[in-house]
């Protein structure tokens, strides 16, 4: 059994701040997708229910971006996973 890591030990696999930075990038990319879609919807021709869903999802992304400022590691990872899946869904459709 080994003790706690000391400053002399090799770099840990998890780098503090890396998860938060990655999560922020993912949320911002999804937020950008919604912003662009809403801007395109102003030209018309989109289903109002779909536009309302985009607005709600955009607002949630803004809230989640704010949550990341105070989120612990587990919550940060969870947000990153949600937005990675959402980005994949949005860009593949």
């Amino acid at each position: 059994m080994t003790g706690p890591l000391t400053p002399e030990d090799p770099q840990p696999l998890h780098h503090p701040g890396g998860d938060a930075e990655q999560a922020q990038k993912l949320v911002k990319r999804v937020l950008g997708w919604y912003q662009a879609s809403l801007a395109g919807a102003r030209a018309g021709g989109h289903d109002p229910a779909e536009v309302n869903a985009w607005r709600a999802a955009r607002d949630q992304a803004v809230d989640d971006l704010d949550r990341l400022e105070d989120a612990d590691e587990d919550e940060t990872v969870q947000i990153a996973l949600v937005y990675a899946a959402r980005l994949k869904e949005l860009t593949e459709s």
Side-chain angles (χ1 to χ4, degrees):
M1 176 176 215
T2 62
L5 289 175
T6 65
E8 297 81 51
D9 289 332
Q11 289 285 13
L13 294 176
H14 170 75
H15 300 285
D19 292 336
E21 186 176 314
Q22 181 70 18
Q24 286 177 344
K25 286 179 182 179
L26 287 165
V27 175
K28 286 178 180 179
R29 287 187 63 193
V30 169
L31 188 55
W33 188 95
Y34 287 124
Q35 294 287 64
S37 297
L38 288 167
R42 289 187 189 113
H46 291 280
D47 177 24
E50 183 177 41
V51 172
N52 287 336
W54 290 343
R55 281 189 187 114
R58 179 208 50 204
D59 293 346
Q60 181 63 53
V62 169
D63 291 344
D64 288 340
L65 194 57
D66 288 341
R67 275 181 40 213
L68 281 171
E69 291 179 18
D70 298 320
D72 64 18
E73 186 177 326
D74 290 339
E75 186 176 15
T76 298
V77 170
Q78 185 60 38
I79 290 170
L81 290 172
V82 167
Y83 280 87
R86 187 168 303 160
L87 183 62
K88 183 176 179 182
E89 178 183 311
L90 293 172
T91 57
E92 289 182 351
S93 60

